Amino acid sequence: MKTSIEPFKIKMVEHIKQTTREERLEYLKEAHYNVFLIRAENILIDFLTDSGTGAMSDQQWAAIMTGDEAYAGSKSFFHFEETVQQITSFKHIIPTHQGRAAERILFEIVLKNKKGQKIPNNTHFDTTRANIEYHDTEAVDLVIPEGKIPECDHPFKGNMDLGKLEEFLDKNHKHVPLGMITITNNSGGGQPVSMENIKETARLYRKYKIPFFIDCCRFAENAYFIKQREKGYGEKTILEIAREMFSYADGCAMSAKKDGMVNIGGFLAMNDDNLAMHARNLLILTEGFPSYGGLAGRDLDAMAVGLQEVLDENYLRYRVRTAEYMGERLLDAGVSIIRPTGGHAVYIDAAAFYPQIPAHQFPGQALVCELYKNGGIRGVEIGSLMFGKTDKITGDMIPASMELVRLAFPRRVYTQSHFDYAIETIIETFKEREKVRGLKITWEAPFLRHFSVHMVPLE
Ligand SMILES: *Cc1c(COP(=O)(O)O)cnc(C)c1O
């Protein structure tokens, strides 16, 4: 059996502060029971997000030192462009400061201020959805039904529902200026999409002459799942699989804060010359000249090296195995999670964890608070606090479809003993589940309330 040890050793360390339970109770209270408002220095293990939180390698830091800061046509840009072209084969590579900047430009150039349009995807990520809705356009989610059932085991739970997509395009194709797929499906639990499904999705878009863009933030994790799970790919390299995935599309949008292995960066890539010209014009307006796009030259070099390193199979095995390992141990202890585990996170089913807490008392947030109190661990609620809506007539909350807590893993940051500690904390918290009560909101913002909400525990 191939081992999955951390495929790196550590040559620089960052101190993490140990806090006492009493201190954490105080920090939590000061933060109004909202972990977004706790200072990061008071967190022991931070699983808030995998976005931009990874550790760069010595090779990336070395590339940073030799970055070329020329305003136009820097060496760093060409290094970056060649790397992205090698992986995606797209003709035009446009750097941006992060994923949503690429999305903003893409939607502005394809939607052109026309109203009443629709963009299908397996599941739109929040920023993608928000950037589409900003243009009075509908963001349509068409993931397979299995993708919405937490306990349903399926190798490619991120797949597009091809039947539904065909029906949708049949009816709406005149109002669809762009078709998308997200790999891996972040909002659906980091679940992969199969090569077959990418290919068939592309075929349907092409049938209606709709340009096809991949939201490819976790393309390498997706490629690794294809290698593991899809017939005919076991002997191929991650690069070969990635190249095939991109070969079916007309372009892609990337947040390099994920599989780019950097703390900031992203890009937009495409084949169409005219579209690329419009994208570069907008880029100059808001991000910067097309050879740096809102980044320093050194950032482009770090991204180029990160995009090479993420293709390493030993790294991807360690990455995917980490989530799997945590998932197995939690399931053994009786904790319900989304199955199978995806690439970048473990999602705990908080409604099953705290059956005594109804949705309007936020079982997910109760679990987030307990994990912080018990072990200094920070996760994030993805449930009714984040997605609950208010019934306009009765004023009651309409709960989210699931009450989840996401533990997202920074890349190359934590070791197995950090994960063992986190697992033990979750299991201890599970053993004391009966005593725990929910929370109520004392103040909330008109939208995206979870970031700034104030809460108090119910007695
Ligand atoms: C993170 C993410 C984005 C947005 O990228 P940012 O770098 O956070 O702006 C878009 N799509 C998906 C699937 C993501 O995971």
Side-chain angles (χ1 to χ4, degrees), residues 49-52 97-103 123-128 182-187 215-218 253-258 264-266 344 406:
T49 175
D50 69 321
S51 179
H97 79 275
Q98 64 184 85
R100 70 197 70 181
E103 291 171 346
T123 313
H124 289 279
F125 178 66
D126 330 6
T127 60
T128 322
T182 304
I183 58 172
T184 59
N185 187 21
N186 183 359
S187 308
D215 180 342
C216 65
C217 300
R218 296 178 185 79
M254 171 81 179
S255 167
K257 299 173 76 170
K258 308 347 180 333
I264 197 76
H344 67 285
R406 183 185 77 177

Side-chain angles (χ1 to χ4, degrees), residues 139-160:
V140 181
D141 292 341
L142 297 171
V143 73
I144 55 169
E146 291 88 337
K148 292 185 206 157
I149 307 169
E151 63 282 2
C152 174
D153 233 315
H154 184 290
F156 292 104
K157 276 176 98 167
N159 277 357
M160 182 79 85

